[in-house]
Amino acid sequence: MKVVVIGGTGLIGSKVVGKLSEHGHEAVAAAPNTGVNTLTGEGLAEVLEGASVVVDVSNSPSFEDQAVMDFFRTSTTNLLKAEAEAGVKHHVALSVVGTERLQESGYFRAKQAQEELIKASGVPFSIVHATQFFEFMKGIADLSTEGDTVRLAPVKIQPIYSGDVAAAVGRTAVGAPVNGVVEVAGPDEFQLDELLRKALAAKNDPRTVVTDPHAPYSGAELKETTLLPGPDARIAETRFADWVAQQQ
């Protein structure tokens, strides 16, 4: 089948395109650098012609509160309208485990708005909620850094390898729409502050991680289980320690 991957040249999108292509599907990477812009609508009608499925793994170029809200609202609205006109049968979007519990954060308010637009669109859909990627550990540290100190809450997290996220998105794309949420997570549970100590040490990053129960995460205060998936989550295979070893 023809599957259009919005954000198909990025970390997850390029892997999704690769995995779908390996399984014989016509996977098309759609992004501004391929002439498809969901904010302006440029190229959307053309790329969706004949598509059975659209996978949206795009992300906002700015994480400032208003900018990220504008991005997800505008791009999702344009995309869903174009899908309805093209007769697309399945919309798959990548979102984040705990989105509905992180509404103090401008980023997660925008992701929640995206999900609500999808649910109200009338296009059959599946939303994949993934835990944080191994590759984003440095990004989490950067968001929580003041000077040489990284302040993080001692809460639980179950991170996942980006390749396993892409595999889950690909499987969802070629399956029937669930008209709901599918959760995926890595195999191991960590404490966030301790995990970041390991991640920074592995990169010889000199910053000091300080445990602070009130440290915000993307602007939201965390409870112990905010970032954890539910009991029905699909558990991926790649372990963080093995991934770190491969990065050395």
Side-chain angles (χ1 to χ4, degrees), residues 96-117:
V96 188
V97 163
T99 289
E100 71 283 1
R101 300 187 290 272
L102 290 160
Q103 293 300 293
E104 289 175 62
S105 160
Y107 181 81
F108 289 104
R109 286 196 298 274
K111 290 299 288 182
Q112 186 72 20
Q114 177 192 26
E115 293 187 24
E116 288 167 2
L117 286 167

Side-chain angles (χ1 to χ4, degrees), residues 5-6 38 58 63 68-70 78 86 101 122 149 152 162 174 177 218 226 235 241:
V5 182
I6 306 296
T38 54
S58 62
F63 282 18
V68 74
M69 181 64 81
D70 290 345
N78 289 342
R101 300 187 290 272
T149 300
L152 292 162
S162 64
V174 299
S218 194
T226 300
I235 303 303

Side-chain angles (χ1 to χ4, degrees):
M1 64 177 78
K2 180 178 177 180
V3 183
V4 174
V5 182
I6 306 296
T9 59
L11 172 67
I12 301 295
S14 58
K15 289 181 165 70
V16 172
V17 169
K19 289 178 184 296
L20 289 171
S21 299
E22 284 170 16
H23 287 88
H25 300 288
E26 181 190 353
V28 180
N33 59 2
T34 70
V36 180
N37 190 322
T38 54
L39 286 176
T40 65
E42 178 195 357
L44 269 182
E46 293 81 1
V47 79
L48 294 184
E49 195 171 318
S52 301
V53 183
V54 169
V55 172
D56 185 5
V57 293
S58 62
N59 210 347
S60 174
S62 167
F63 282 18
E64 186 275 323
D65 283 6
Q66 192 58 51
V68 74
M69 181 64 81
D70 290 345
F71 174 85
F72 281 116
R73 277 191 171 152
T74 303
S75 64
T76 304
T77 298
N78 289 342
L79 185 55
L80 291 165
K81 180 175 181 288
E83 286 175 29
E85 292 170 355
V88 170
K89 299 291 191 289
H90 189 186
H91 178 95
V92 179
L94 179 60
S95 194
V96 188
V97 163
T99 289
E100 71 283 1
R101 300 187 290 272
L102 290 160
Q103 293 300 293
E104 289 175 62
S105 160
Y107 181 81
F108 289 104
R109 286 196 298 274
K111 290 299 288 182
Q112 186 72 20
Q114 177 192 26
E115 293 187 24
E116 288 167 2
L117 286 167
I118 292 165
K119 291 172 183 175
S121 71
V123 177
F125 71 92
S126 303
I127 297 170
V128 178
H129 272 192
T131 51
Q132 281 297 352
F133 312 154
F134 295 165
E135 289 87 347
F136 280 6
M137 292 303 114
K138 180 182 181 297
I140 292 173
D142 292 347
L143 285 171
S144 307
T145 295
E146 295 173 11
D148 294 325
T149 300
V150 185
R151 294 191 176 277
L152 292 162
V155 299
K156 294 176 179 175
I157 188 170
Q158 205 167 321
I160 186 170
Y161 168 51
S162 64
D164 291 337
V165 176
V169 170
R171 280 195 304 270
T172 303
V174 299
V178 300
N179 294 314
V181 173
V182 176
E183 288 191 325
V184 292
D188 299 314
E189 193 177 285
F190 298 91
Q191 193 167 294
L192 180 61
D193 52 336
E194 293 175 358
L195 176 64
L196 266 293
R197 284 190 189 98
K198 291 179 184 177
L200 294 181
K203 293 287 187 184
N204 297 313
D205 190 313
R207 286 177 287 181
T208 301
V209 175
V210 173
T211 303
D212 178 353
H214 300 292
Y217 178 91
S218 194
E221 193 161 315
L222 299 173
K223 295 179 181 173
E224 187 180 22
T225 59
T226 300
L227 302 178
L228 290 184
D232 297 327
R234 298 175 185 172
I235 303 303
E237 294 183 0
T238 309
R239 297 187 176 280
F240 183 70
D242 296 337
W243 178 79
V244 169
Q246 290 169 359
Q247 308 305 302
Q248 304 299 327

